[in-house]
Amino acid sequence: MSEFSIRLAQPGDADDFHRVEEDAAILLREEPSLAGIPVPPSGSAAHYRGLIRRGHCLAATVNETVVGFAACGTIGRELHLHELSVERAQQGKRIGATLLEAVAIDARNAGLRAITLNTYRDIPWNGPFYARHGFVEVENFEGRPHLLQSLETAAELGLPRERRCAMIRFLG
């Protein structure tokens, strides 16, 4: 098992974020239940540089190479997890779970009250993974129009709306 560390992302990590997301997206492309459903394009390095500049993005590294990341941004008093990805070769080593906990610590330290995200509700490494880490499905979108808009945008890209959900983890 390789040892990993978590650190605040740096602008130079943006290309690695894109590379890691591309690698992890292969799992979605190979998921039998998603046959024929498009996988949205990975975030560009420019997109990730913008998020990294605003803070709240974390990188997981092995031997100083980025192998996973959490890209987040604040919306009001909440932190929105735009993307959490771990290289396929590094999955199953608690890197994603550790990134999620580090994101929660960062959000609490910043005085934020919750973490939100959008994902597939039924794919094991999506909704069920987040549920094991304290996230619940959002049923009332009042005060969180960005979550509803994100679900609608995903549907416009061809993702099945009935399989997508917004989730939230309240921080105490």
Side-chain angles (χ1 to χ4, degrees):
M1 179 170 167
S2 22
E3 292 192 29
F4 65 90
S5 59
I6 306 292
R7 64 168 169 73
L8 191 61
Q10 303 161 0
D13 295 331
D15 288 318
D16 288 325
F17 279 23
H18 174 76
R19 175 188 51 76
V20 168
E21 184 181 1
E22 279 290 304
D23 181 72
I26 291 171
L27 290 175
L28 287 175
R29 289 184 187 95
E30 293 176 347
E31 169 57 33
S33 72
L34 295 177
I37 296 171
V39 174
S42 299
S44 67
H47 166 73
Y48 285 126
R49 266 190 291 283
L51 287 172
I52 290 168
R53 272 195 299 272
R54 293 184 203 110
H56 302 293
C57 292
L58 302 173
T61 62
V62 172
N63 298 324
E64 300 190 34
T65 298
V66 174
V67 298
F69 70 91
C72 306
T74 56
I75 299 177
R77 301 236 8 249
E78 297 175 348
L79 191 65
H80 185 73
L81 179 61
H82 294 280
E83 183 66 35
L84 175 73
S85 286
V86 176
E87 283 181 356
R88 289 173 299 144
Q90 297 295 331
Q91 291 182 5
K93 300 176 182 179
R94 299 211 33 87
I95 294 172
T98 304
L99 280 165
L100 268 184
E101 287 312 306
V103 164
I105 290 166
D106 178 50
R108 274 191 212 97
N109 288 343
L112 301 174
R113 62 181 180 205
I115 303 166
T116 62
L117 59 89
N118 289 12
T119 193
Y120 278 102
R121 72 169 36 98
D122 58 343
I123 294 179
W125 64 90
N126 281 205
F129 168 79
Y130 292 111
R132 287 192 306 276
H133 294 280
F135 287 82
V136 296
E137 280 195 43
V138 173
E139 295 178 13
N140 179 351
F141 291 94
E142 187 175 326
R144 294 184 181 91
H146 66 285
L147 292 176
L148 186 56
Q149 179 59 49
S150 183
L151 288 171
E152 297 308 321
T153 299
E156 290 168 10
L157 292 172
L159 280 62
R161 176 65 177 90
E162 69 281 358
R163 292 184 63 189
R164 302 284 299 172
C165 69
M167 300 183 84
I168 190 166
R169 176 180 169 183
F170 291 100
L171 304 171

